Amino acid sequence: MLVARAPERSAGLLALLRERGLDPIAAPVIERAPVEDPAELDAARERVLAGAYDWVAITSVNAVDALLGPAPAASDTPRAESARWAAVGPATERALAAHGLAIDLVPQTATGAGLAAAFPEAPDGPGPAGHTHRVLLPLGDLASDTLRAGLVAKGWAVDVVTAYRTVARELPAELRGPYDVVVVASGSAARQVAAQLGPQRVVAIGEPSARAAGDVGHTVLAVAATPTDEALADAVTEALVRT
């Protein structure tokens, strides 16, 4: 079984799968790369520090790392009162909390559409000092438009900034399978697995990644009920029992 993710991001899932008698291997097929010109991201960070945004909406741990850095730094972490913070799911919530930030919104459905649905309507009238009510949305270069469109529909002015790039990482020859199951945690990973290994039987972390997997020819055996290690391990176990 292949978990198409970096080992350091997969430790909890690997341990759970091994407890169930499985033999997983973790290896990434994609990785985060910095944007070629960081000026736009730097300017967005300064606007957050200056209190220009009502909300910052985060959809991935990679976006947290790109916007705030991989480890807390008192001089760089925005003041708690400068904006409210929304996290798409538990992993992003934990990443933001590690920076000492209070998380004001985590949707029950951990997708961009789920976050948009849970987001409040924009307030009527101008904000403080006559400013427009704004949301910062730091995204990867391959992110869909779902969240931005949903926030705009609720009356928010949305600043989208490319926080990082997603690039392919080739699997070494000895890890090219075959596999009974491949676990994918993003649409980008599902597409790269197809590009490198061809169509596979996959378990997906959520519906968006499952749709992407189906679009590139994978057979989706199961979808985790929530984007957690426990739910993914359950989905893998149930899929293997059924097959």
Side-chain angles (χ1 to χ4, degrees), residues 147-175:
L147 179 54
R148 185 207 65 83
L151 297 181
V152 169
K154 288 192 168 182
W156 294 98
V158 181
D159 289 351
V160 175
V161 59
T162 300
Y164 61 93
R165 295 179 297 122
T166 301
V167 297
R169 180 165 174 176
E170 292 291 325
L171 287 168
E174 64 271 19
L175 295 183

Side-chain angles (χ1 to χ4, degrees), residues 58-111:
I58 301 290
T59 62
S60 73
V61 173
N62 285 334
V64 177
D65 291 347
L67 184 66
L68 301 178
S75 61
D76 297 331
T77 299
R79 302 182 306 275
E81 68 271 17
S82 65
R84 302 180 75 186
W85 293 78
V88 75
T92 50
E93 182 180 14
R94 288 192 297 271
L96 288 170
H99 286 268
L101 293 167
I103 295 81
D104 298 283
L105 176 62
V106 183
Q108 289 188 339
T109 302
T111 64

Side-chain angles (χ1 to χ4, degrees), residues 184 189-195 198-202 212-220:
V184 294
R191 289 186 285 271
Q192 266 305 308
V193 167
Q200 302 289 313
R201 304 191 324 159
V202 306
D215 288 345
V216 293
H218 295 306
T219 299
V220 180

Side-chain angles (χ1 to χ4, degrees), residues 212-232:
D215 288 345
V216 293
H218 295 306
T219 299
V220 180
L221 299 179
V223 181
T226 60
T228 63
D229 290 338
E230 293 78 6
L232 261 176

Side-chain angles (χ1 to χ4, degrees), residues 15 20 31 70 75-76 83 92 107 127 135 148 169 179 205 212-213 237:
R20 300 173 190 213
E31 59 188 359
S75 61
D76 297 331
T92 50
V135 179
R148 185 207 65 83
R169 180 165 174 176
Y179 294 104
I205 197 170
T237 303

